[in-house]
Amino acid sequence: MKKLRHSKYLFLCPLILLMMAALFLAGCSKKKNLTYDGTDMGKLTERSVDIMGVRYNLYSNGYAEVAAVLNPYFELSESVTHEGTSYSVVKIQENNFGGVSGYGIFNKVGISSQGLVEAPEHLALPDTLLSLPGYVFAECTSSSITLPSDLKYLPLGAFYCCSNLETVEFPDSLEKICAVKLFTGCSSLTSVELPKDVSYVLSTDYLFSGCSSLQSVTIPGACGGGVLSERTFADCDVLSEIILEDGITTIGFRTFHNLPALEEIVFPDSVTEIKDATFYDCPNLKDVWLSDNLSDIPPHMFKQSYGNYDADTSGITIHVKESLVEYTKNLYPDATVVAK
């Protein structure tokens, strides 16, 4: 009987040791080194240190990351000091709110339990920040935002639903921009010229969707890799001037969606493809200048929101190269088709 009890304990010992090892490793994982944008930040030494309205995580190599904005009077500087040690602020923490990474780090409701957090009228980020998480300014209440001077990448949905945003200063250091939902819901933005000498990753889906005060915009040829995709411009009530620069190759489905103020659009000759329904609910469109290098002209460019019917094209003049005049007239008999 004693032998059996002994063997039972011998069986349990390895199991207990295994559990203890797992708990030890779990504890160590909180102290693991963090490499961020090529910088080894070392190990997390302090958690949730609140300094001047901002919560920071501090790392052993002298780096700090912004974990939360806590009150309306926050000060975000290039470095912070804690217990006599100075830390350089190089990162904004990747948080998850409803599956959206970094959503609302500066937004009006904050990310803490301490209630409303109103961002300042002008928000300037410290130049020491190396990169930003997606949706970093989502619902931010600032009217202007200055990005870090050495920032290389502007992420997904960076200015999502910044309803007070009027101006953005893009640094010359930018190398990549994710155009997806970049300015979605920026209802106070009146004009913007996107940087030309950068590469754009992913698509332009909903790039300016809901920018109800946007009047004019210039789109560089590199935007979206040359492809303007679904609802790049959607529900922009007063948008009347869209300048598409050379390099744009494809105009997608519903690229121009519900633009009541748009009267004219000129496609550069780099455009080789236009999808159906690209002018979905553009009731006041009068002049469409098509590229000379189109591989085909879509038969249903002009759609209306009810049913599966094409909009009335009797008030539209379509400008095409001479060799496509008759072909275009057959596609759109109610429109005026003229040679360029």
Side-chain angles (χ1 to χ4, degrees):
M1 188 66 68
K2 288 182 179 177
K3 277 189 175 181
L4 285 173
R5 281 201 206 103
H6 232 27
S7 62
K8 181 181 178 182
Y9 292 135
L10 286 173
F11 172 77
L12 288 173
C13 282
L15 184 60
I16 293 169
L17 287 171
L18 188 62
M19 291 173 65
M20 290 176 66
L23 288 170
F24 176 77
L25 289 173
C28 287
S29 66
K30 293 180 181 179
K31 295 284 187 178
K32 68 181 180 181
N33 280 36
L34 174 62
T35 300
Y36 184 73
D37 200 24
T39 298
D40 184 357
M41 295 178 69
K43 294 179 181 179
L44 185 64
T45 57
E46 301 283 351
R47 186 177 291 277
S48 300
V49 175
D50 299 343
I51 304 171
M52 297 297 291
V54 181
R55 179 164 294 164
Y56 296 96
N57 290 330
L58 306 179
Y59 288 85
S60 60
N61 284 9
Y63 296 105
E65 66 179 342
V66 178
V69 171
L70 302 175
N71 66 56
Y73 311 105
F74 69 89
E75 291 183 18
L76 197 61
S77 58
E78 295 188 354
S79 64
V80 293
T81 301
H82 177 66
E83 295 183 350
T85 302
S86 181
Y87 297 84
S88 179
V89 180
V90 298
K91 182 178 186 287
I92 293 177
Q93 188 180 60
E94 297 272 358
N95 291 291
N96 291 293
F97 299 89
V100 181
S101 175
Y103 186 88
I105 193 87
F106 296 107
N107 87 10
K108 61 185 178 182
V109 296
I111 63 171
S112 72
S113 60
Q114 298 191 21
L116 295 177
V117 176
E118 293 287 340
E121 184 175 348
H122 175 75
L123 177 61
L125 296 191
D127 291 338
T128 49
L129 285 173
L130 303 175
S131 188
L132 302 174
Y135 292 89
V136 59
F137 303 109
E139 297 186 11
C140 177
T141 55
S142 297
S143 59
S144 64
I145 295 175
T146 300
L147 298 169
S149 62
D150 293 327
L151 188 70
K152 297 187 183 305
Y153 175 58
L154 198 56
L156 166 71
F159 307 106
Y160 183 83
C161 288
C162 291
S163 58
N164 294 334
L165 185 65
E166 298 174 2
T167 59
V168 176
E169 297 177 30
F170 295 103
D172 293 336
S173 60
L174 271 180
E175 296 175 357
K176 290 183 180 180
I177 294 177
C178 179
V180 178
K181 297 183 180 179
L182 185 64
F183 291 106
T184 296
C186 292
S187 54
S188 297
L189 195 67
T190 57
S191 65
V192 63
E193 186 170 344
L194 294 172
K196 298 179 181 181
D197 299 325
V198 300
S199 62
Y200 289 81
V201 298
L202 299 182
S203 68
T204 63
D205 286 356
Y206 298 87
L207 171 56
F208 291 107
S209 179
C211 292
S212 54
S213 299
L214 187 64
Q215 299 174 21
S216 65
V217 62
T218 299
I219 305 296
C223 195
V227 178
L228 300 186
S229 49
E230 184 173 357
R231 302 192 191 198
T232 297
F233 312 95
D235 306 316
C236 297
D237 298 341
V238 296
L239 182 59
S240 59
E241 182 181 47
I242 301 174
I243 299 173
L244 304 179
E245 297 190 336
D246 192 56
I248 300 294
T249 62
T250 304
I251 309 298
F253 177 74
R254 291 194 185 186
T255 292
F256 308 96
H257 178 98
N258 188 27
L259 303 181
L262 186 66
E263 295 185 358
E264 181 179 34
I265 188 75
V266 179
F267 293 121
D269 282 339
S270 56
V271 172
T272 57
E273 183 181 15
I274 297 177
K275 304 285 188 181
D276 273 331
T278 192
F279 298 108
Y280 191 91
D281 270 356
C282 293
N284 296 307
L285 193 62
K286 293 179 173 60
D287 286 277
V288 177
W289 297 75
L290 296 180
S291 164
D292 286 348
N293 294 311
L294 278 176
S295 55
D296 192 18
I297 295 178
H300 304 289
M301 280 190 295
F302 311 97
K303 284 281 187 181
Q304 52 193 8
S305 58
Y306 54 90
N308 293 315
Y309 304 103
D310 288 338
D312 179 13
T313 58
S314 59
I316 298 176
T317 299
I318 304 174
H319 304 260
V320 296
K321 62 182 179 182
E322 190 169 358
S323 61
L324 289 176
V325 169
E326 292 304 316
Y327 178 74
T328 308
K329 281 182 178 179
N330 289 331
L331 290 177
Y332 300 103
D334 295 331
T336 300
V337 182
V338 298
K340 292 167 68 176

